[in-house]
Amino acid sequence: LDNGLSIVSFCQDCPDPRLEGSIAKGLHPKHGIQEFQVVGTLVYCVPNNAESRKILNIHHFKNRIVLIDRGNKGLIEKVEKVLDSDAVAVIIADDGRCKEDFSYCGIQAGSIHDGGFAPSDEISRWRDIDIPVVLVTVRTADILRKTMGIRKVDIPKLGRQNITIFHHGKEQYKDEL
């Protein structure tokens, strides 16, 4: 797609999300990887917004797509926290600040008119990001959460967090960017 948009397809318990999944649009970063195709299991980052000093479940990220809530810190800071985890991609879940058509996502977040999100970020910082990243709307994020098998848990100093429930021996959730 053009204007910084990407296709995100997803399904639960299906062999190939491109053939039998749901489809939504996502906004990729202005300076990040523009063309990509990734298929993998989705795992929620804990803390969900990746805004604490330490990611508690980084050991679950290897070969998976990491879901991170938008929150209050810069989007690139969130992505940088998972770079050494061997994750294959990151999906950032918007919190309602983006319009459904990505024509506006906030003053610094960018839009389709800017060619992607984070247009004001230093280009050099995005050169170090070697995995695809996409921002999805709150509606798409809600659908992803409903289909991925999560449970809410109270974690000391972090509050209520979504955690991914994995079923051993079988990948439950497939997602494609």
Side-chain angles (χ1 to χ4, degrees):
L1 295 178
D2 56 10
N3 295 329
L5 292 178
S6 299
I7 294 291
V8 177
S9 62
F10 49 92
C11 61
Q12 186 173 7
D13 293 329
C14 74
D16 189 342
R18 294 168 295 195
L19 301 176
E20 53 184 307
S22 297
I23 295 176
K25 291 179 182 171
L27 188 66
H28 57 256
K30 166 90 175 164
H31 306 297
I33 297 172
Q34 304 292 310
E35 293 184 31
F36 47 83
Q37 181 172 331
V38 177
V39 177
T41 302
L42 193 60
V43 60
Y44 222 127
C45 182
V46 178
N48 297 159
N49 62 12
E51 291 181 6
S52 71
R53 193 173 56 79
K54 185 178 180 188
I55 304 295
L56 300 181
N57 64 333
I58 202 160
H59 58 284
H60 286 140
F61 295 178
K62 186 174 182 163
N63 299 321
R64 292 188 169 126
I65 300 170
V66 180
L67 179 65
I68 301 174
D69 290 341
R70 182 168 173 180
N72 296 314
K73 296 219 173 161
L75 302 178
I76 193 165
E77 282 86 9
K78 296 170 183 299
V79 176
E80 288 172 334
K81 286 194 175 185
V82 304
L83 280 184
D84 293 331
S85 69
D86 292 325
V88 296
V90 172
I91 297 176
I92 300 171
D94 186 55
D95 54 10
R97 287 181 266 180
C98 284
K99 290 186 176 183
E100 278 296 314
D101 64 357
F102 294 105
S103 61
Y104 180 80
C105 288
I107 294 169
Q108 289 197 313
S111 69
I112 57 172
H113 307 297
D114 297 311
F117 73 81
S120 303
D121 285 356
E122 292 179 34
I123 296 171
S124 61
R125 286 184 75 186
W126 281 99
R127 284 191 195 118
D128 294 334
I129 308 296
D130 60 354
I131 59 174
V133 181
V134 68
L135 174 67
V136 297
T137 64
V138 70
R139 184 187 313 168
T140 299
D142 286 344
I143 294 168
L144 287 170
R145 288 183 197 103
K146 286 178 186 170
T147 59
M148 67 184 282
I150 57 174
R151 183 174 63 198
K152 290 193 179 286
V153 174
D154 286 314
I155 299 177
K157 298 182 182 177
L158 294 178
R160 203 143 177 83
Q161 299 288 312
N162 292 310
I163 63 165
T164 308
I165 300 168
F166 293 106
H167 300 276
H168 298 289
K170 184 178 181 184
E171 298 293 350
Q172 278 286 327
Y173 186 81
K174 293 286 182 195
D175 194 69
E176 177 192 6
L177 296 178

